[in-house]
């Protein structure tokens, strides 16, 4: 099993080009199932979750060709509607094939999803909403058996709570439903806007009618298109924090800064110097880091996917900070590992109190999920000595060439078997 060795105490300097967004690519890949033509996708990150989703689509009958970060999907002979556990178990995004399969075939059998063990992530919001489009379903031995005997029929649906996955699944499904669907209390993450933009390019009729409401007029076919996926805002945020925590000097390129305005504002508040240009952010970390309180929230709030990373930075702040995790109930698993490195973090339910003025010590570490694993790298970058991070398969699910990108800006890091 592979590990990462990190030798710390280096300031990061240089520039990093941000990859395409994993969290935008996955629903867009699922949405390609609506098509019976060729779809050309550009700027996909070559990470494990993308490879798993591609394998899932191939198991459903899609023909896929990769050319570095570009991909061609041919669904001319795509006929299957069964998504097996073996492919869905490692990522929650597998459930996103349910909507397009129901829209296309009127039936689907899809395994309940897996992914990082950071919370329950129930699919009941997906299923309740799909039932309002005319779907009848039952769960048998870990599989959703769903059927829409008369096809999907448009309806007015209000989500019981804001859910990124359910919003994506229903937007895709409703694009082929008969009549009009209005979805309210939607998630509005940039990745969802990217999905909508992709669907509209294919010929779907989708319009935002208020901040969290979208109106969809169903269509019966879509056209062949070429589409470029947006940048990965969580990767961008991770490297911004890396610059801040090492008192480094980085240019983060190939991004749209306004999309990560909340993260930029937070880092400025903590003490980083940030200069924003059209498609890049230049950040200079400050040795004096100010404490702050953070609460994760749906977009445009502070992202839960950056909570572990910002916690590392706040361990170096001048005073105590408080982080409240309001998205997932089990997302403090990195705390124990950071405390082993010398952090002083206490948790109570969904609240973490982070004592400042900490110097991390090198240690052997265990990654527990995708974002926790990268937080351990950030902490290790500040230490004297060698840290070893185990179970980095979590990391490979969502970060493209992370050790190569960090090496280019001065980090001492290597992958070993």
């Amino acid at each position: 099993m592979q590990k990462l060795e990190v030798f710390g105490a280096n300031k990061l300097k240089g520039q990093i080009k941000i990859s395409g967004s994993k969290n935008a690519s996955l629903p867009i890949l699922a949405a390609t199932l609506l098509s019976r033509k060729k779809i050309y996708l550009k700027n996909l990150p070559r990470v494990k979750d993308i490879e798993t989703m591609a394998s899932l689509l191939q198991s459903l009958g899609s023909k896929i060709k990769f050319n570095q970060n570009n991909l061609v999907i041919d669904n001319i002979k795509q006929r299957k509607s069964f998504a097996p556990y073996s492919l869905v178990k490692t990522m929650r995004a597998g459930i996103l094939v349910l909507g397009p399969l129901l829209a296309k075939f009127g039936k689907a059998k899809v395994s309940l999803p897996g992914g990082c063990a950071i919370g329950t992530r129930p699919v009941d919001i997906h299923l309740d909403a799909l039932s309002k489009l005319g779907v009848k379903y039952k769960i048998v031995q870990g599989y959703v058996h769903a059927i829409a005997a008369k096809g999907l029929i448009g309806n007015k649906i209000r989500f019981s709570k804001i859910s990124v996955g359910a919003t994506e699944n229903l937007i895709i499904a409703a694009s082929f439903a008969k009549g009009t669907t209005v979805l309210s209390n939607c998630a509005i993450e940039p990745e969802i806007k990217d999905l909508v933009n992709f669907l509209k390019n294919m010929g779907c009729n989708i319009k935002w009618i208020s901040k969290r409401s979208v109106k969809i007029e169903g269509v019966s076919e879509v056209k062949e298109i070429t589409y470029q996926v947006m940048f990965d805002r969580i990767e961008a945020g991770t490297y911004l924090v890396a610059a801040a925590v090492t008192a480094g000097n980085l240019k983060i390129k190939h991004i749209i800064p306004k999309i990560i305005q909340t993260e930029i504002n937070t880092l400025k508040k903590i003490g980083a110097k940030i200069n924003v240009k059209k498609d890049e952010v230049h950040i200079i970390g400050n040795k004096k880091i100010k404490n702050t309180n953070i609460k994760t929230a749906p977009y445009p709030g502070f992202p839960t996917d950056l909570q572990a990373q910002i916690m590392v930075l706040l361990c170096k702040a001048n005073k105590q900070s408080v982080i409240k995790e309001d998205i997932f109930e089990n997302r403090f698993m990195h705390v124990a590992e950071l405390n082993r490195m010398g952090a002083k973090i206490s948790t109570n339910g969904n609240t973490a109190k982070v004592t400042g003025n900490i110097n991390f010590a090198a240690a052997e570490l265990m990654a527990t999920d995708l974002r926790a694993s990268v937080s351990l790298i950030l902490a290790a970058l500040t230490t004297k000595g060698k840290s070893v991070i185990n179970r980095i398969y979590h990391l490979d699910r969502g970060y493209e060439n992370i050790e190569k990108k960090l090496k280019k800006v001065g980090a001492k890091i290597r992958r070993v078997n």
Side-chain angles (χ1 to χ4, degrees):
M1 193 172 287
Q2 293 184 326
K3 306 175 182 181
L4 280 182
E5 293 181 345
V6 184
F7 303 82
N10 269 16
K11 293 182 179 181
L12 302 184
K13 293 181 180 179
Q15 60 184 38
I16 293 177
K17 183 180 177 183
I18 299 303
S19 299
S21 169
K22 172 183 87 82
N23 288 342
S25 298
L26 292 170
I28 286 172
L29 284 168
T32 64
L33 287 167
L34 294 176
S35 174
R36 293 195 184 278
K37 300 181 174 72
K38 287 185 178 179
I39 303 292
Y40 301 83
L41 295 178
K42 295 182 176 181
N43 199 39
L44 272 74
R46 292 304 298 267
V47 296
K48 187 63 179 174
D49 274 9
I50 299 301
E51 292 174 4
T52 302
M53 180 62 89
S55 296
L56 175 55
L57 296 182
Q58 287 173 319
S59 78
L60 292 166
S62 303
K63 288 188 176 180
I64 294 178
K65 289 182 181 178
F66 270 106
N67 180 14
Q68 295 182 328
N69 294 92
N70 302 325
L71 175 144
V72 182
I73 298 181
D74 184 346
N75 281 327
I76 293 170
K77 295 182 179 179
Q78 193 272 314
R79 297 285 185 272
K80 299 175 185 176
S81 59
F82 168 58
Y85 171 75
S86 60
L87 289 168
V88 180
K89 66 180 179 181
T90 60
M91 59 171 190
R92 72 184 186 275
I95 195 68
L96 294 178
V97 302
L98 181 60
L101 290 176
L102 284 166
K104 193 172 184 179
F105 301 116
K107 63 178 182 177
K109 179 183 175 183
V110 178
S111 170
L112 292 170
C116 292
I118 58 175
T120 55
R121 308 181 199 243
V123 299
D124 58 335
I125 301 172
H126 301 239
L127 297 174
D128 288 347
L130 286 168
S131 70
K132 291 171 183 172
L133 294 180
V135 175
K136 295 189 182 300
Y137 68 89
K138 58 184 177 180
I139 297 174
V140 182
Q141 294 182 329
Y143 280 87
V144 178
H145 297 246
I147 189 165
K150 298 180 181 179
L152 300 182
I153 300 167
N155 201 350
K156 289 184 178 180
I157 300 168
R158 180 176 176 82
F159 294 109
S160 58
K161 63 181 287 188
I162 293 171
S163 164
V164 171
T167 300
E168 291 167 341
N169 228 338
L170 267 293
I171 287 174
I172 298 168
S175 293
F176 264 36
K178 297 176 184 131
T180 304
T181 300
V182 176
L183 305 174
S184 58
N185 201 32
C186 294
I188 54 169
E189 270 63 12
E191 296 80 12
I192 289 172
K193 298 292 181 74
D194 207 34
L195 169 65
V196 168
N197 196 38
F198 168 76
L199 290 167
K200 287 170 75 172
N201 273 260
M202 278 209 302
C204 297
N205 190 346
I206 307 171
K207 182 181 179 181
W208 291 95
I209 54 177
S210 69
K211 184 179 179 181
R212 292 194 180 274
S213 296
V214 63
K215 182 179 179 182
I216 304 163
E217 299 282 353
V219 299
S220 57
E221 61 179 310
V222 290
K223 61 188 178 184
E224 182 176 298
I225 65 161
T226 299
Y227 190 79
Q228 180 162 316
V229 175
M230 69 174 284
F231 78 100
D232 195 311
R233 65 188 173 101
I234 304 303
E235 187 194 23
T238 298
Y239 290 125
L240 286 171
V241 174
V245 80
T246 63
N249 186 334
L250 286 182
K251 287 183 178 178
I252 309 300
K253 303 176 75 71
H254 200 231
I255 67 171
I256 302 171
K258 68 179 181 180
I259 286 177
I260 55 169
Q261 195 61 54
T262 297
E263 296 90 313
I264 289 170
N265 291 344
T266 300
L267 288 166
K268 281 182 176 179
K269 186 178 179 182
I270 289 170
K273 294 179 182 178
I274 296 178
N275 182 32
V276 175
K277 293 185 179 179
K278 182 183 177 182
D279 62 352
E280 74 175 46
V281 173
H282 182 194
I283 178 169
I284 300 174
N286 194 328
K287 288 183 179 179
K288 295 180 180 178
I289 298 166
K290 300 173 186 175
N291 67 311
T292 191
N293 296 334
I294 288 172
K295 180 173 75 171
T296 63
Y299 191 84
F302 193 88
T304 180
D305 279 354
L306 276 177
Q307 176 257 107
Q309 297 92 307
I310 204 75
M311 185 180 284
V312 173
L313 182 59
L314 293 178
C315 287
K316 313 285 283 183
N318 57 345
K319 288 185 266 184
Q320 185 187 79
S321 302
V322 177
I323 297 177
K324 190 176 181 185
E325 173 55 64
D326 270 358
I327 306 297
F328 294 121
E329 73 277 7
N330 194 25
R331 202 158 204 181
F332 286 145
M333 290 190 291
H334 49 281
V335 168
E337 295 300 283
L338 292 177
N339 283 343
R340 288 182 63 245
M341 299 180 76
K344 295 179 181 177
I345 307 165
S346 61
T347 60
N348 183 11
N350 67 338
T351 302
K353 291 183 178 179
V354 184
T355 300
N357 291 306
I358 292 302
N359 289 319
F360 288 110
E364 182 147 6
L365 303 160
M366 187 76 72
T368 53
D369 63 71
L370 171 55
R371 306 307 172 183
S373 59
V374 83
S375 75
L376 301 181
I377 292 177
L378 297 180
L381 287 172
T382 72
T383 69
K384 293 178 181 177
K386 182 178 78 172
S387 293
V388 179
I389 302 170
N390 296 283
R391 288 171 61 178
I392 59 169
Y393 57 83
H394 288 294
L395 193 73
D396 293 334
R397 286 186 46 227
Y399 286 93
E400 183 177 42
N401 299 326
I402 188 166
E403 64 264 38
K404 291 180 183 177
K405 290 185 178 184
L406 286 171
K407 274 183 182 178
K408 281 186 178 180
V409 294
K412 293 179 182 176
I413 181 172
R414 67 185 180 191
R415 185 175 293 240
V416 295
N417 288 316

